[in-house]
Amino acid sequence: MKEEVLWSINRDVAMWFCSTEIVELSEIMSSGKWNCAWWISEEDLHMIKLAIFVVPLFVLILMATAKNSHNCRWSFVVNCNQTDTGSYVLSPPTFETQLHQSNETRGFNVSKPSFNEPYVNETSEHHLLLEQTIKSNIIEKTEIGLAKARAAIREARNGNRTQDSDYVPIGPVYLNAKAFHRSYLEMEKQFKVFVYGEGEPRIFLNPPCKSIYSMEGNFMHAIEKNDHFRTKDPEKAHVFFLPFSVVTGLRYGYERVSQESSPQRNIVTDYVNVIAARYPYWNRSLGADHFTLACHDMCRGTSLSLPDTLKNSIRVLCNANTAEGFNPAKDVSFPEINLKTSSTNSFIGGPSAPKLSVLAFFAGEVQGPVIPVLLKHWENKDEDIQVQKHLEESISYHEMMRKSKFCLCPSGSDMASARVVEAIYSGCVPVLISEHYVPPFSDVLNWKSFSVEVSVKDIPNLKEILKSISPRQYIRMQRRVKQIRKHFEVHSPPKRFDVFHMILHSVWLKRLNFQVLYDQNVLSE
């Protein structure tokens, strides 16, 4: 209807314009004022009249057509392709291409239009302006809330201690107990996580909740059921969780004979591609506010071996190995916990320091590069350093931990070791023997206050190192182990300050480390 009215107006204007010009020209020529008109025949005059009528009409029609054409026709936008029907659509670039355009600072421009939204013509620009304003206000509101949280945490560092009905962090086990407590309370107050639900059937989203890799399943199950931190509205989310399980994916994407892991990497790449194409949230921050979680050692073949795919994302990993790409400033280290039952109550607790009869203990199979060195120097060679491959059937592994002052926790085939948490459960001071390992929750916990770190080259001097710790110092360390134990406990449903909430808090801290930006000049580009 609008086009018909415009055409009618243009036609009337053209006819009026041309008829007026023709009348004036005829009068001039008949009056003899046009001195050169003596050679023009009557037939030529009719042709001139026709040209004077057609040319302005043709120009006006072109102007009307151009006004209603799509902006993409005139290069106001980029990456446009014409369909078979003659319409123009946006040609979405892949998320891999966009990653190379990311700002290297921890600020991310989210002002670009969604890759999945078609551009509009000039007649509906006000709708685009309104939509951009709404998105800008949502992002601005989110960032204002995070800015207030940062300010509150900074103020709490040297302020008064905050009261809490459940637990008040205190003491040298924390890098800064007051700041941690305020940060935790701010997380409880505003932190929201959106969980993607892609995948039918959900073959990659249901990992086991019992085994040495159980924390993948426990976290995914807990966040799915959580009503406080999980949000169904992605516009309210601070972070976005990609819930694909490495453990489950190995059943479908790993060749055990050839040990070929490329199918597993393809699964992750395809999953992220689906998210990037279906939602605007990955594209707007280039994945910076998205996180993945994996405990299997094959996560090295997925998240760490895909630098382009997950370059900006927060990677929550058990195998926090800086030599293999783990970035403590961006990624999260969380504990490996070997759950054999649904409860950990039977493993928790141990005697006080005076009742401990063994200086150090280790038992385990030969795996990785560190354990063979430990066995070479200490297997069955010292009564104080109880190191064995296998225990007798009459001897309980957990009872030996409860009888020992120090529990040796060398890296195995994985960088992480479930022995660390087992030692903490037993009240045994863990001895971390590894290289390039970032302990769990080290952005909050002061591991030097309740554990011993020994490099691989110092394994021959292990007894001297442990003997140099005085009884008084050891008692303090053991008490601190019991204090931080609550942060490694698994509960169903989760309880405040337990391992589930500590994982969330570490992700929360990483989200506080950067700001999502919005470019107000997006429409002028």
Side-chain angles (χ1 to χ4, degrees):
M1 183 63 183
K2 180 178 179 180
E3 287 75 7
E4 294 176 358
V5 173
L6 183 59
W7 162 252
S8 177
I9 294 174
N10 292 335
R11 181 190 61 191
D12 294 341
V13 171
M15 292 183 64
W16 174 85
F17 174 82
C18 293
S19 62
T20 303
E21 292 297 321
I22 291 171
V23 170
E24 291 181 356
L25 180 60
S26 299
E27 292 177 356
I28 294 172
M29 295 178 65
S30 60
S31 64
K33 294 180 180 180
W34 194 355
N35 295 330
C36 62
W38 61 269
W39 55 269
I40 300 178
S41 65
E42 185 175 354
E43 183 179 351
D44 293 333
L45 180 61
H46 286 300
M47 291 295 295
I48 293 173
K49 291 179 181 180
L50 182 61
I52 294 173
F53 174 83
V54 171
V55 172
L57 179 60
F58 181 75
V59 173
L60 289 173
I61 291 174
L62 283 179
M63 293 175 61
T65 304
K67 186 174 182 61
N68 290 298
S69 295
H70 198 286
N71 287 345
C72 195
R73 298 282 298 275
W74 305 104
S75 302
F76 294 149
V77 294
V78 295
N79 295 331
C80 292
N81 291 331
Q82 188 172 15
T83 64
D84 294 336
T85 60
S87 61
Y88 286 77
V89 295
L90 181 65
S91 176
T94 61
F95 75 93
E96 290 93 343
T97 303
Q98 293 299 312
L99 284 173
H100 294 295
Q101 302 173 3
S102 169
N103 193 337
E104 292 299 324
T105 63
R106 297 303 287 168
F108 294 86
N109 190 331
V110 301
S111 65
K112 302 301 180 185
S114 167
F115 292 151
N116 303 307
E117 296 178 2
Y119 284 96
V120 295
N121 56 39
E122 292 178 358
T123 60
S124 59
E125 270 194 3
H126 64 282
H127 294 297
L128 178 60
L129 284 169
L130 179 60
E131 182 180 351
Q132 295 286 346
T133 302
I134 293 174
K135 290 182 178 180
S136 175
N137 291 339
I138 292 173
I139 296 170
E140 183 179 0
K141 182 179 179 181
T142 300
E143 291 301 328
I144 288 175
L146 294 176
K148 290 181 179 179
R150 296 186 195 102
I153 295 170
R154 287 194 297 268
E155 184 178 353
R157 291 179 182 276
N158 300 313
N160 296 327
R161 194 170 305 280
T162 305
Q163 298 300 314
D164 197 304
S165 58
D166 289 335
Y167 176 73
V168 177
I170 189 173
V173 295
Y174 302 103
L175 298 176
N176 190 306
K178 295 178 182 178
F180 164 57
H181 194 197
R182 172 47 57 190
S183 177
Y184 188 93
L185 295 177
E186 292 293 330
M187 176 192 74
E188 288 184 319
K189 182 166 55 177
Q190 62 172 302
F191 193 40
K192 296 298 178 183
V193 179
F194 179 78
V195 182
Y196 288 109
E198 272 55 40
E200 291 295 341
R202 294 164 66 87
I203 57 177
F204 300 120
L205 310 182
N206 291 314
C209 291
K210 297 178 183 178
S211 76
I212 196 170
Y213 307 119
S214 62
M215 286 312 298
E216 280 189 25
N218 275 273
F219 181 86
M220 292 181 188
H221 176 76
I223 194 63
E224 287 263 358
K225 301 295 183 181
N226 192 281
D227 294 329
H228 182 82
F229 293 103
R230 185 185 178 187
T231 177
K232 299 292 183 66
D233 184 359
E235 296 293 345
K236 296 180 179 179
H238 296 88
V239 294
F240 299 80
F241 180 42
L242 304 170
F244 59 81
S245 168
V246 174
V247 175
T248 307
L250 288 173
R251 302 175 187 173
Y252 307 95
Y254 179 63
E255 297 290 340
R256 296 187 180 276
V257 177
S258 63
Q259 296 186 349
E260 174 60 41
S261 60
S262 59
Q264 175 72 9
R265 294 195 295 270
N266 293 337
I267 289 172
V268 178
T269 302
D270 292 343
Y271 187 90
V272 175
N273 269 318
V274 169
I275 296 301
R278 189 169 296 180
Y279 299 90
Y281 307 105
W282 176 279
N283 296 321
R284 73 177 190 179
S285 68
L286 305 179
D289 52 3
H290 287 57
F291 75 96
T292 60
L293 182 141
C295 205
H296 199 281
D297 59 337
M298 282 301 298
C299 68
R300 294 192 298 268
T302 54
S303 64
L304 294 179
S305 65
L306 296 172
D308 288 337
T309 306
L310 300 173
K311 174 183 177 182
N312 297 316
S313 301
I314 302 168
R315 294 173 292 193
V316 185
L317 305 174
C318 286
N319 289 285
N321 187 351
T322 57
E324 295 181 343
F326 182 87
N327 183 0
K330 178 182 67 69
D331 301 325
V332 171
S333 173
F334 80 107
E336 185 174 278
I337 302 177
N338 188 5
L339 290 180
K340 299 179 180 180
T341 64
S342 58
S343 175
T344 58
N345 293 335
S346 59
F347 303 112
I348 294 177
S352 58
K355 298 180 180 181
L356 303 177
S357 57
V358 178
L359 177 63
F361 166 72
F362 169 82
E365 298 179 356
V366 180
Q367 293 179 337
V370 181
I371 293 179
V373 179
L374 180 64
L375 293 172
K376 175 183 177 181
H377 288 280
W378 296 104
E379 184 181 11
N380 298 321
K381 292 183 179 180
D382 195 302
E383 292 184 357
D384 291 331
I385 308 293
Q386 296 280 337
V387 175
Q388 303 173 36
K389 291 180 183 177
H390 304 286
L391 291 173
E392 297 179 7
E393 293 184 0
S394 59
I395 301 177
S396 168
Y397 176 81
H398 293 288
E399 286 300 321
M400 283 298 299
M401 279 194 159
R402 289 189 177 98
K403 293 168 57 176
S404 304
K405 292 183 177 180
F406 298 95
C407 290
L408 306 181
C409 306
S411 295
S413 57
D414 301 353
M415 176 57 63
S417 172
R419 297 180 182 87
V420 176
V421 175
E422 291 171 344
I424 293 173
Y425 284 174
S426 303
C428 181
V429 174
V431 179
L432 309 182
I433 307 176
S434 59
E435 303 287 348
H436 312 294
Y437 178 53
V438 179
F441 314 138
S442 55
D443 44 14
V444 169
L445 299 178
N446 179 16
W447 278 82
K448 292 182 179 180
S449 69
F450 59 86
S451 69
V452 180
E453 297 183 10
V454 177
S455 63
V456 177
K457 64 182 179 60
D458 288 330
I459 287 178
N461 305 320
L462 188 58
K463 186 173 183 178
E464 288 77 6
I465 293 173
L466 299 181
K467 282 284 190 179
S468 66
I469 299 174
S470 66
R472 184 175 180 180
Q473 182 181 358
Y474 176 80
I475 291 174
R476 286 198 298 265
M477 295 179 71
Q478 191 197 41
R479 288 176 179 173
R480 292 166 184 169
V481 167
K482 295 178 180 180
Q483 180 184 354
I484 57 95
R485 185 163 56 199
K486 67 168 28 275
H487 299 316
F488 294 85
E489 294 178 4
V490 181
H491 298 286
S492 183
K495 297 181 180 179
R496 295 183 71 210
F497 295 100
D498 69 357
V499 66
F500 169 76
H501 288 90
M502 290 297 290
I503 294 173
L504 273 183
H505 180 262
S506 291
V507 176
W508 159 253
L509 286 183
K510 303 309 178 185
R511 180 60 180 88
L512 288 174
N513 282 345
F514 66 87
Q515 180 181 3
V516 176
L517 306 176
Y518 194 92
D519 187 357
Q520 298 294 336
N521 299 320
V522 60
L523 293 179
S524 64
E525 293 183 357

